Amino acid sequence: MEPIVKTLFPFIVISVGIIAVFGGVMMIVAYTVLAERKVLGWIQGRIGPNRVGPWGLFQPFADLLKFILKEELIPDQSTRFIFYLAPLVALTCAFMPMIVYPFGPEIVGSFDFLPYGLGEGIKSLPLRVADLDVGVLYVLAITSVGVYGIALAGWSSNSKYSLMGGLRSSAQMISYELAMGASVIGVVMLAGSLSLGDIINAQINSTFRWFIIPQFIGFVVFLIAAFAETNRVPFDLPEAETELVAGFHTEYSALKFALFFMAEYVNMFTVSVMAVTLFLGGWYIPGLDYLARTVGMEWLFGVGTIGYALISHVGFLLKIFAFLFFYIWVRGTLPRFRFDQLMNFGWKFLLPVALANVILTVVVVFLVGRFW
Amino acid sequence: MVTALFYLLAGLAIACAISCVYHKNPLYSAVSLIGVFLSLACIYLTLSAPFIAVTQILVYAGAIMVLVIFVIMLLNLDEDKPLNSLTYLYGVGGGLGLLLIAQAIFVFYAVNTAGQESVDSTAAGKTLSIGLAMYTQYLLPVEIVGILLLMAIVGAMIMSRRIREPNQRKAEKAVE
């Protein structure tokens, strides 16, 4: 019994981590949808959903049930296999980056209480599934594969509107990926690492605590590119309902439509996490460790304790919710771009600004390293 | 464990490659090729080379194949017509295949005869060691590749630019 448990232990830990992250993100996504409807209602002077449960809190589950029970329509002339594959690709690629996000600081302590001596040699519990050496690149790579979900959906539906939506969105995502990648380079240079955990640690040890201050241009470029990457207003050309019915998912119904819908919101969550981690210090709340020291309650929420991890995690979630609120706010405020404006903006303004930011950062990092 | 994973992923890669070659529909072929790239990236991961794995996904699966799929979607090829009926291509393909097999045999031979070189396993494949090697030991090849890519970009710009006649330009101005 003991050796089996010992061999299986790492897999069990990782599986528990993955399930916890998956469940948590699904709940956040479900309630982002509800929050979007509520906040949009508030912005537009309506009430929003308020029938299912208190204040409409069970609305997401009612919606899910509706999606499961609805009739599934498959266009007669569609390319069947790819038609089924596309929503799976979209949602899988939306979820895959989750494993590298640091959701909180490490909990340092002894794990000797575990049976069979499993806790031997384990000194800390990190609040992430895996710390990849190339975390930032990994997230960018997986999001670039996510384009296929939309492109293939548009092609396989065998419908004009879907094809136009799919083509538009692939063109848009390829264009803005460049600006997004270039805007991240500045942060990577300041941190000297591609691992998300190292980037947060570099921010904690830096002069300004958060990279948004030295990398403000990069932050703004990242934010705009993130809106385009997730196909959100004002860049929601792929599903411009006034001209393309519903864009790439026109022919999708029932649960397959729900998968696309979920993928969009998971992608919103992903770019929010990236923005928070790269520019806003991730889970780090400035002054929390100092406060614990001055109050003399380091046993409760000093660095490395469970209390510190919990408070930091809540701070992390609050930062993400602020970003998600910003998304919804923009959707309620701004009109849509025209397609040629979108392309010109991406290639002729956003990318040059991002590259200029890279060069500026190189010069400053060099001068500071040389003369400070 | 790693060996089992390797056989699984290698089998997947070969299956995807075969389906890439044999499918009549070009889009299925392109999707199979993406499958090949992804399984190769997973094999790199099991060889603890995360940087190469991620670059493989980012460059091949993420960038190049998107363009291929874009072109296929825009061309809207007819599924019933075979793409090419050039029979001499079978001979060329067979010759290239033999060349590849010969290369594989040579690689096996070279690996077996050469002594095992000890590599620092903690640093190999990491971003830092790759960056250091690229900008110190292999600086010249990197520079040459960079200039080659720049030339390719400029060439693409020149070839895709519309050369407008003077009359046409005047007409466009009048319209504006």
Side-chain angles (χ1 to χ4, degrees):
Chain A
M1 187 64 196
E2 197 183 318
I4 302 173
V5 175
K6 268 201 163 167
T7 13
L8 285 180
F9 185 61
F11 296 101
I12 295 170
V13 170
I14 290 177
S15 311
V16 168
I18 289 174
I19 291 167
V21 169
F22 181 80
V25 172
M26 281 306 264
M27 287 306 286
I28 289 176
V29 164
Y31 279 99
T32 312
V33 179
L34 181 67
E36 168 145 47
R37 295 174 66 181
K38 280 274 189 194
V39 172
L40 276 184
W42 173 59
I43 288 174
Q44 296 164 353
R46 299 183 280 114
I47 295 170
N50 65 346
R51 294 287 126 177
V52 193
W55 308 291
L57 274 181
F58 300 140
Q59 186 70 39
F61 303 101
D63 282 342
L64 183 66
L65 206 64
K66 183 193 76 176
F67 278 128
I68 293 172
L69 294 176
K70 268 189 150 181
E71 187 191 357
E72 208 153 350
L73 291 169
I74 292 156
D76 199 25
Q77 295 287 311
S78 63
T79 315
R80 201 59 60 88
F81 176 68
I82 291 183
F83 190 76
Y84 277 93
L85 185 71
L88 299 180
V89 171
L91 193 62
T92 312
C93 292
F95 266 116
M96 273 176 72
M98 299 295 156
I99 62 160
V100 291
Y101 298 154
F103 290 95
E106 288 185 337
I107 299 170
V108 181
S110 162
F111 289 84
D112 289 338
F113 58 85
L114 291 168
Y116 303 117
L118 291 172
E120 239 175 79
I122 303 174
K123 295 229 165 50
S124 64
L125 177 71
L127 291 185
R128 52 170 159 64
V129 180
D131 188 18
L132 221 54
D133 182 37
V134 285
V136 177
L137 274 187
Y138 171 78
V139 175
L140 289 178
I142 299 295
T143 26
S144 74
V145 175
V147 182
Y148 290 119
I150 290 170
L152 293 178
W155 184 83
S156 64
S157 306
N158 200 27
S159 142
K160 291 182 207 61
Y161 299 123
S162 300
L163 185 65
M164 286 302 294
L167 279 177
R168 274 188 183 186
S169 88
S170 345
Q172 174 181 332
M173 287 168 99
I174 296 165
S175 312
Y176 280 80
E177 237 162 49
L178 279 175
M180 199 177 201
S183 69
V184 170
I185 295 176
V187 169
V188 173
M189 257 188 292
L190 288 184
S193 171
L194 284 168
S195 144
L196 291 174
D198 289 352
I199 287 176
I200 291 178
N201 286 332
Q203 294 187 66
I204 294 172
N205 298 325
S206 72
T207 327
F208 296 108
R209 291 295 181 274
W210 285 359
F211 277 162
I212 185 173
I213 299 166
Q215 281 294 315
F216 188 70
I217 305 170
F219 174 71
V220 172
V221 171
F222 183 89
L223 204 61
I224 297 173
F227 273 93
E229 278 289 291
T230 46
N231 293 327
R232 295 280 301 182
V233 176
F235 303 110
D236 64 335
L237 275 298
E239 40 191 308
E241 61 264 37
T242 38
E243 34 193 301
L244 290 178
V245 188
F248 63 89
H249 57 62
T250 306
E251 304 292 342
Y252 281 87
S253 52
L255 202 58
K256 288 210 273 298
F257 168 75
L259 293 186
F260 276 123
F261 197 69
M262 270 193 275
E264 184 185 326
Y265 283 87
V266 176
N267 278 330
M268 269 168 70
F269 179 78
T270 287
V271 289
S272 304
V273 171
M274 286 298 278
V276 166
T277 308
L278 296 176
F279 295 101
L280 295 183
W283 42 261
Y284 178 65
I285 303 170
L288 185 62
D289 41 351
Y290 179 74
L291 184 74
R293 264 202 306 279
T294 18
V295 182
M297 302 227 288
E298 279 197 296
W299 55 273
L300 188 62
F301 58 99
V303 177
T305 58
I306 297 177
Y308 182 70
L310 270 180
I311 296 173
S312 301
H313 182 64
V314 170
F316 176 74
L317 287 181
L318 283 179
K319 287 177 198 172
I320 286 173
F321 292 156
F323 267 101
L324 292 174
F325 177 77
F326 182 65
Y327 263 94
I328 299 165
W329 185 17
V330 166
R331 178 171 172 187
T333 313
L334 291 183
R336 185 178 296 132
F337 269 62
R338 216 171 54 215
F339 192 61
D340 57 319
Q341 290 173 336
L342 171 97
M343 280 302 172
N344 279 338
F345 183 71
W347 286 102
K348 294 183 183 165
F349 178 74
L350 215 52
L351 188 59
V353 168
L355 291 177
N357 180 46
V358 170
I359 294 167
L360 191 72
T361 313
V362 170
V363 172
V364 170
V365 166
F366 176 75
L367 289 180
V368 168
R370 185 55 78 84
F371 299 113
W372 218 257
Chain B
M1 179 68 197
V2 175
T3 324
L5 258 180
F6 170 78
Y7 280 115
L8 187 74
L9 292 167
L12 202 64
I14 292 169
C16 285
I18 290 172
S19 106
C20 170
V21 176
Y22 275 96
H23 251 295
K24 287 250 161 54
N25 189 329
L27 199 79
Y28 276 116
S29 297
V31 172
S32 314
L33 196 55
I34 298 166
V36 175
F37 289 144
L38 291 182
S39 4
L40 280 186
C42 293
I43 290 179
Y44 292 144
L45 269 186
T46 62
L47 296 173
S48 61
F51 185 80
I52 297 175
V54 169
T55 317
Q56 167 94 3
I57 298 178
L58 198 64
V59 175
Y60 286 101
I64 292 176
M65 287 315 290
V66 164
L67 290 182
V68 171
I69 285 201
F70 222 73
V71 170
I72 295 172
M73 279 165 72
L74 283 175
L75 286 183
N76 208 5
L77 292 166
D78 205 349
E79 214 175 302
D80 303 325
K81 281 186 206 153
L83 263 177
N84 59 59
S85 48
L86 305 171
T87 39
Y88 72 88
L89 278 179
Y90 286 104
V92 176
L96 285 176
L98 280 179
L99 206 67
L100 270 180
I101 290 172
Q103 191 198 6
I105 290 170
F106 174 73
V107 166
F108 271 116
Y109 172 75
V111 166
N112 276 335
T113 47
Q116 289 275 328
E117 210 174 311
S118 72
V119 180
D120 184 10
S121 60
T122 49
K126 290 272 166 69
T127 319
L128 184 68
S129 63
I130 291 174
L132 277 179
M134 265 172 66
Y135 287 100
T136 52
Q137 199 178 349
Y138 302 107
L139 185 59
L140 189 64
V142 169
E143 292 283 323
I144 291 171
V145 167
I147 287 173
L148 199 68
L149 284 175
L150 187 66
M151 277 158 64
I153 292 171
V154 173
M157 291 280 286
I158 286 171
M159 278 167 76
S160 63
R161 220 179 69 183
R162 262 179 295 171
I163 299 161
R164 275 179 280 187
E165 301 290 320
N167 288 339
Q168 199 183 339
R169 212 172 282 169
K170 250 179 224 163
E172 270 175 23
K173 275 222 175 108
V175 169
E176 275 170 18

